[in-house]
Amino acid sequence: MASLVLRYPWVSSPFVVSAPMKVMSGPALAVAVSRAGGLGFLGPGAKTQDTNDDLEKVKALIQKGKAIPTTNSALPIGVGYQLWTDDLGTAIATIEKYKPCAAWLYAPRQGTKDYDDWSSKIRRVSPETQIWIQIGTLKEAKQLLQSTELPDVIVVQGAESGGHGRTSDGMGLMSLFPEVADALASSRIPLFAAGGIADGRGVAAALCLGASGAVMGTRFLAASEARIRRGYQDEIVRASDGAASTTRTHLYNHLRGTFGWPEEYTPRTIWNKSFVEQQQGKSFEELKKLHDEAAKDGDNGWGPEGRLATYAGASVGLIHGVKDAEDIVRETQNDALERIQRLFPNQRDACL
Ligand SMILES: Cc1cc2nc3c(=O)[nH]c(=O)nc-3n(C[C@H](O)[C@H](O)[C@H](O)COP(=O)(O)O)c2cc1C
């Protein structure tokens, strides 16, 4: 924890992170989370080059508002990349220019080899940028220990998570996290927990599992600063019972024209008519036609009668409204602290 406090001096305890959600975690969200005492990540752009434009906006937002205290020249927000599709050369040029405080790497084609390649190049151009790697299995965690470039932080992603996660070898955070923590104990690399955390209860639980902090993705889709369409955001608030209302499927990737994800990864999404009709046997061509028509129908394209992708995690039932990111961070932190205090009245810092 001490090294994290030095690296991210504006972050208050417990350490709350907004996940780098592709396109949807834009500059306004990332800066608002960091300004509130968390760590905000920019999601990968539709194209790798888009992160450049996002970081330009981040710089402007940081200069405009209340100062975020830092101890080095790194920008107080992180950036996310999907290694299977993002262009390394473009990413390196962007990181060299803007020096975000952290780069979050996910979904390589060639496991540790890709992580080492990206990490060494990032560290060469921007030693201030810490390397965060998200894994979803014990095997991946152990493989990271063989890296020539050990990450600074490892995010352990449970199967509850929204967006892409493990296709068939994922596991709930409650049992995955402690086993990974035991396997990596000697490395002393800080571990963060992700997947299904949407409020102070989840953060408190993650800390008691041994996490240095908690990552939330789906909760921040319902932040007023998220770069998300209203119809999609309404669905995040409306949906409940993540076990029943979400599923892992590549259907929506394919309907949107995204192919080529490594087979270990499949996204969790709230299902709607596209999925129901696929299960009933409708052809992909027909579903695609209906999907593309729905995409022209604005916010009506989402919802139980809609057809558009609604990537979200199993925690949707815990999200009851759209709030400013600052309120999400502060309320989550305060709630987690209160719960820990109630459990351990004489040991305030039991899990921190
Ligand atoms: C809409 C959406 C998009 C996501 N995009 C990415 C991404 O581009 N890169 C990444 O590493 N993780 C991505 N994730 C996964 C998050 O990093 C994180 O594991 C997840 O949000 C945690 O679970 P939660 O959604 O239950 O909070 C995404 C998640 C969501 C919900």
Side-chain angles (χ1 to χ4, degrees):
M1 270 313 275
S3 72
L4 288 172
V5 172
L6 286 176
R7 282 287 176 176
Y8 310 102
W10 64 90
V11 171
S12 45
S13 185
F15 201 133
V16 168
V17 175
S18 64
M21 295 180 284
K22 186 157 181 144
V23 178
M24 277 161 262
S25 302
L29 179 61
V31 171
V33 169
S34 288
R35 192 163 269 143
L39 172 57
F41 275 85
L42 282 180
K47 298 190 295 306
T48 312
Q49 178 64 23
D50 295 351
T51 303
N52 217 70
D53 304 340
D54 277 350
L55 283 166
E56 205 50 54
K57 290 183 191 137
V58 162
K59 271 179 69 178
L61 285 171
I62 287 176
Q63 275 160 16
K64 240 190 337 194
K66 195 178 88 196
I68 305 177
T70 54
T71 46
N72 62 21
S73 57
L75 277 180
I77 59 105
V79 291
Y81 290 103
Q82 294 180 357
L83 273 51
W84 73 275
T85 183
D86 275 313
D87 179 65
L88 176 56
T90 307
I92 296 298
T94 298
I95 290 173
E96 181 169 23
K97 182 167 175 200
Y98 293 97
K99 306 214 180 322
C101 67
W104 169 307
L105 312 181
Y106 185 56
R109 276 209 190 280
Q110 304 181 78
T112 313
K113 183 176 173 303
D114 286 351
Y115 285 136
D116 282 344
D117 196 20
W118 276 69
S119 303
S120 64
K121 290 188 170 126
I122 290 170
R123 284 176 169 149
R124 201 174 312 141
V125 299
S126 178
E128 302 92 326
T129 301
Q130 291 224 302
I131 304 293
W132 290 47
I133 289 180
Q134 177 167 246
I135 53 98
T137 63
L138 180 65
K139 186 173 165 197
E140 286 177 288
K142 287 181 175 170
Q143 284 167 347
L144 280 183
L145 286 183
Q146 312 306 319
S147 306
T148 52
E149 299 278 339
L150 284 179
D152 299 293
V153 169
I154 295 174
V155 180
V156 181
Q157 183 197 42
E160 303 89 336
S161 67
H164 285 77
R166 302 297 298 189
T167 299
S168 59
D169 55 2
M171 178 52 66
L173 195 61
M174 183 67 85
S175 36
L176 175 66
F177 191 97
E179 197 174 358
V180 169
D182 287 347
L184 298 185
S186 62
S187 74
R188 304 183 65 83
I189 299 172
L191 303 181
F192 279 60
I197 302 171
D199 58 24
R201 293 171 290 187
V203 173
L207 296 177
C208 289
L209 289 176
S212 296
V215 176
M216 299 194 291
T218 302
R219 172 63 265 199
F220 283 108
L221 289 176
S224 30
E225 297 88 347
R227 196 159 51 186
I228 188 173
R229 292 286 301 270
R230 172 59 69 85
Y232 186 159
Q233 197 169 52
D234 286 349
E235 264 303 272
I236 301 295
V237 174
R238 183 203 62 81
S240 62
D241 191 356
S245 62
T246 71
T247 188
R248 283 200 188 279
T249 172
H250 272 297
L251 174 64
Y252 295 93
N253 277 349
H254 296 167
L255 290 171
R256 288 157 46 85
T258 303
F259 293 87
W261 265 89
E263 64 188 23
E264 305 90 281
Y265 303 96
T266 309
R268 184 180 291 282
T269 180
I270 298 170
W271 52 264
N272 54 25
K273 276 182 97 171
S274 295
F275 182 70
V276 172
E277 291 177 5
Q278 183 204 38
Q279 299 300 300
Q280 291 166 346
K282 197 167 262 178
S283 72
F284 180 76
E285 290 65 32
E286 184 65 13
L287 291 171
K288 169 82 178 140
K289 210 171 107 224
L290 292 165
H291 169 273
D292 292 353
E293 278 163 20
K296 294 182 202 140
D297 199 14
D299 291 326
N300 297 328
W302 285 276
E305 296 304 307
R307 296 182 172 276
L308 304 183
T310 319
Y311 303 122
S315 68
V316 278
L318 304 177
I319 300 168
H320 305 300
V322 175
K323 292 183 177 176
D324 290 350
E326 177 177 357
D327 292 336
I328 296 174
V329 172
R330 298 247 158 86
E331 284 172 18
T332 304
Q333 287 177 325
N334 290 339
D335 187 30
L337 286 174
E338 271 169 32
R339 284 172 189 279
I340 290 165
Q341 273 162 10
R342 247 182 278 150
L343 283 174
F344 307 98
N346 301 319
Q347 303 173 52
R348 191 191 159 279
D349 296 331
C351 288
L352 303 179

